[in-house]
Amino acid sequence: MREVAVIGVGMTKFGELWNTNLRSLFVEAALKALKDAGVDRLDSMYVGCMTSGLFAHQEHLGALMADYLGQKHLPAYRIESACASGGLAFRLGFIEVASGMSDIVLVGGVEKMHTGADVTDALSTASDSEYEAFLGITFPGLYAMIANAYMHKYRIPYKEFREKLAHVAVKNHEHGSKNPNAQFRMKITVDTVLNSTLVADPLRLMDCSPVTDGAACVVLAPVEIAKKLGKPVVKVIGSGAATSAIALAQRDDIAWLDVVEAAAKRAYDMAKITPKDIDLVELHDCFTIAEVCVLEALGFYEPGGAINAAYNGDTYIGGKLPVNTSGGLKAKGHPVGATGVAQIVEIVEQLRGNAGERQVKGAKRGLAQNMGGSGASSVVHILEVE
Amino acid sequence: MLTPRVYTEIPQRYRLEANKCKACGKVFFPPRLVCTCGSQDFEPYRLPTRGKIVTYTVVRTPGFVFKLQKPIVLAIVELEDGTRIMAQVTDLPPVVEDYSEIIKIGAEVELVFRKIFSEQEAGIHVYGYKCRLI
């Protein structure tokens, strides 16, 4: 297997972008990534997207995006794994370059969620359609069930739990305020979260990631090509993916994301490192409780311990393990299919030392964790700068 | 969406029909063709109707199908034989200020037969199981 590097990154602004469409978003991010990489040809392309069919009445994204990128006859694949579509697309692009089958591969993710479609209904297709969505459960509802199970399992009083959870959103908005591409750049307080409207008890509006339009792209190449480009070489040193029960009721422990633990173990084993070797993390905070559970499953905290992470300041830029320096899904925004690729973009910017106000000093290794559904699929990547 | 005819042919929704692995005894709801032990030899099995709430939530912003029913309360219930099932919690008082006062993790419930929603403009009722506090 060849060593693989990320040689180019690009993303659109994330937000409520009524004046653009699915294809334009993707092509904008792709052109930025190609320009950053300094390459003019591609061997293949992967497009991560969850549900353009429901949002934009458009499938067949491989052909559409290759066509509009001006890449005639390019082999192109659309990858779907709910909100982990982007991360999984990145893994497949990585595998293709590592295998020697292709040299220059573009991996992108895109979602256009503001189209007039019922977003809650469209997203619910990532759950078990016949035994979950059929009953009226929503994604905030599924993560709220995880939150209640967590609070009960670790015997945390409601008021304390609620306040500590709010700190996750406060921290991610603080980080997002420093990111020009973030959907929400305003800082918020614990009271902003606690006074926001209830969405699914105990989660409130400001515990939830927003509805977002956006795209992100990266270009992959073998390390020997990356070394000729005169930029810091950011290598992919670990990649792990896993799946678990699609229905929350069928997981052994509702407060534990076994899928993240399994994907992370594979990525750590491949990179031959442990959690303590990681300098920063971009993880899937689709809801505040998800950031807590993911930090534990990635091995950064003991079970029941990560509820204190943002509250204690550990996960702020400047803390002992900066988490979601981009603002995370909460503040940067969550165009579902694009999220996994946008996480890679942030890690690469950080490892190159290009993250401006958000820069984590001396960052050498970053981890990106992307998740599908209520924890039915997850992808973990570890990147390192030479 | 499935047609009403198809709905009425789903034994899981009408008779709580699960299946049980003949090799290791594990119960699956909904039924599966392959067990986690590798066996493909199953027998039909009807779920018990009593259990306890493992976790729950109150969905205040459901999708369009459930808009008129909001808020809806949903729980994961562990039945007496250990099988877990998600269900709406029904027969609650019409106005509830704080659901945590009446619904607790560990509370006992029983499964009941109820309308889940009415489908699209024709308004055809779709039935299935819900649970209620005992």
Side-chain angles (χ1 to χ4, degrees):
Chain A
M1 224 172 76
R2 298 193 295 182
E3 283 196 302
V4 178
V6 180
I7 61 167
V9 297
M11 66 181 282
T12 65
K13 167 130 180 71
F14 279 10
E16 191 173 333
L17 310 173
W18 289 101
N19 293 329
T20 186
N21 62 4
L22 189 69
R23 68 189 74 177
S24 305
L25 281 168
F26 186 88
V27 172
E28 181 190 333
L31 290 174
K32 284 178 179 169
L34 288 171
K35 188 177 176 199
D36 183 41
V39 296
D40 56 7
R41 69 167 182 94
L42 286 174
D43 294 328
S44 85
M45 180 169 85
Y46 291 80
V47 181
C49 181
M50 176 184 158
T51 186
S52 56
L54 290 177
F55 283 130
H57 208 75
Q58 177 73 62
E59 307 287 16
H60 209 172
L61 296 195
L64 174 76
M65 300 313 179
D67 182 10
Y68 275 77
L69 193 55
Q71 296 280 338
K72 195 169 187 176
H73 296 162
L74 182 72
Y77 315 92
R78 184 258 184 92
I79 307 298
E80 189 274 320
S81 186
C83 305
S85 300
L88 202 63
F90 182 78
R91 176 172 157 85
L92 292 172
F94 162 72
I95 290 170
E96 184 167 333
V97 177
S99 76
M101 196 75 177
S102 293
D103 282 338
I104 312 291
V105 173
L106 187 137
V107 177
V110 65
E111 209 79 53
K112 180 81 182 79
M113 299 173 76
H114 290 97
T115 56
D118 184 321
V119 174
T120 305
D121 185 70
L123 293 177
S124 77
T125 59
S127 70
D128 184 331
S129 186
E130 293 178 24
Y131 293 90
E132 293 188 317
F134 170 76
L135 306 166
I137 194 73
T138 59
F139 265 93
L142 288 163
Y143 278 91
M145 285 186 171
I146 293 174
N148 274 333
Y150 186 97
M151 183 166 59
H152 185 259
K153 180 180 176 187
Y154 300 112
R155 307 269 170 229
I156 309 167
Y158 177 80
K159 202 162 171 287
E160 178 191 337
F161 177 70
R162 247 327 331 179
E163 192 187 330
K164 287 181 171 175
L165 210 49
H167 279 271
V168 176
V170 172
K171 184 261 298 174
N172 288 344
H173 271 265
E174 168 73 28
H175 291 173
S177 73
K178 302 177 190 337
N179 185 351
N181 287 324
Q183 181 168 8
F184 295 121
R185 299 194 66 191
M186 79 288 197
K187 294 179 187 180
I188 60 168
T189 65
V190 168
D191 280 345
T192 320
V193 182
L194 299 184
N195 293 330
S196 63
T197 185
L198 268 170
V199 172
D201 310 21
L203 300 180
R204 294 175 177 273
L205 185 67
M206 294 305 279
D207 289 297
C208 307
S209 55
V211 174
T212 310
D213 306 326
C217 290
V218 301
V219 182
L220 292 166
V223 163
E224 63 264 30
I225 290 180
K227 282 182 174 164
K228 294 175 188 158
L229 298 173
K231 274 191 209 148
V233 177
V234 178
K235 293 193 293 188
V236 184
I237 61 167
S239 175
T243 53
S244 186
I246 191 153
L248 188 60
Q250 297 188 22
R251 309 258 176 80
D252 296 334
D253 180 349
I254 289 162
W256 182 256
L257 293 167
D258 59 286
V259 76
V260 177
E261 183 184 22
K265 183 176 186 318
R266 288 169 182 160
Y268 290 135
D269 286 352
M270 183 175 171
K272 298 188 179 67
I273 61 163
T274 64
K276 66 177 186 326
D277 301 315
I278 299 291
D279 300 319
L280 80 151
V281 176
E282 283 287 305
L283 61 74
H284 201 93
D285 61 316
C286 48
F287 301 93
T288 48
I289 184 65
E291 178 159 324
V292 173
C293 294
V294 168
L295 278 173
E296 292 172 8
L298 289 174
F300 294 112
Y301 289 84
E302 291 296 312
I307 187 71
N308 295 310
Y311 177 74
N312 288 344
D314 298 355
T315 46
Y316 279 83
I317 296 167
K320 63 183 181 189
L321 180 73
V323 172
N324 286 329
T325 56
S326 67
L329 283 54
K330 176 70 199 79
K332 181 180 58 184
H334 183 26
V336 286
T339 284
V341 183
Q343 292 177 324
I344 302 286
V345 171
E346 176 70 7
I347 296 286
V348 171
E349 295 283 24
Q350 288 280 358
L351 297 182
R352 284 174 170 179
N354 287 346
E357 273 190 274
R358 312 190 301 286
Q359 186 63 46
V360 175
K361 288 196 186 98
K364 292 280 174 235
R365 265 186 226 105
L367 181 149
Q369 179 272 338
N370 189 199
M371 188 151 59
S374 61
S377 61
S378 189
V379 198
V380 173
H381 284 98
I382 301 168
L383 278 66
E384 182 182 79
V385 65
E386 268 197 346
Chain B
M1 276 294 184
L2 297 171
T3 65
R5 165 83 201 290
V6 173
Y7 282 133
T8 62
E9 304 278 331
I10 301 174
Q12 284 68 49
R13 287 184 192 153
Y14 288 83
R15 296 190 294 280
L16 293 173
E17 202 173 284
N19 69 356
K20 189 174 191 173
C21 174
K22 283 188 182 174
C24 74
K26 196 168 161 83
V27 172
F28 293 97
F29 184 85
R32 296 190 177 211
L33 299 174
V34 186
C35 181
T36 45
C37 79
S39 169
Q40 297 178 28
D41 198 10
F42 287 92
E43 59 190 358
Y45 173 89
R46 193 186 188 283
L47 294 177
T49 55
R50 287 200 170 211
K52 287 180 178 172
I53 290 178
V54 174
T55 188
Y56 75 97
T57 188
V58 185
V59 173
R60 294 167 190 274
T61 56
F64 66 92
V65 173
F66 293 91
K67 275 276 189 290
L68 294 176
Q69 297 186 38
K70 70 181 183 182
I72 52 176
V73 182
L74 290 119
I76 291 176
V77 176
E78 186 166 306
L79 299 171
E80 282 170 339
D81 65 351
T83 314
R84 286 179 177 179
I85 181 171
M86 186 180 283
Q88 274 192 32
V89 184
T90 190
D91 295 5
L92 294 169
V95 180
V96 178
E97 288 286 320
D98 181 2
Y99 282 91
S100 68
E101 304 225 321
I102 52 172
I103 300 177
K104 311 262 184 220
I105 290 176
E108 292 196 38
V109 295
E110 63 178 349
L111 297 179
V112 291
F113 186 70
R114 286 286 188 278
K115 188 185 93 176
I116 306 293
F117 58 86
S118 299
E119 188 176 288
Q120 298 179 359
E121 285 180 17
I124 295 163
H125 298 334
V126 177
Y127 293 94
Y129 48 84
K130 292 187 181 178
C131 71
R132 69 176 169 206
L133 296 162
I134 300 175

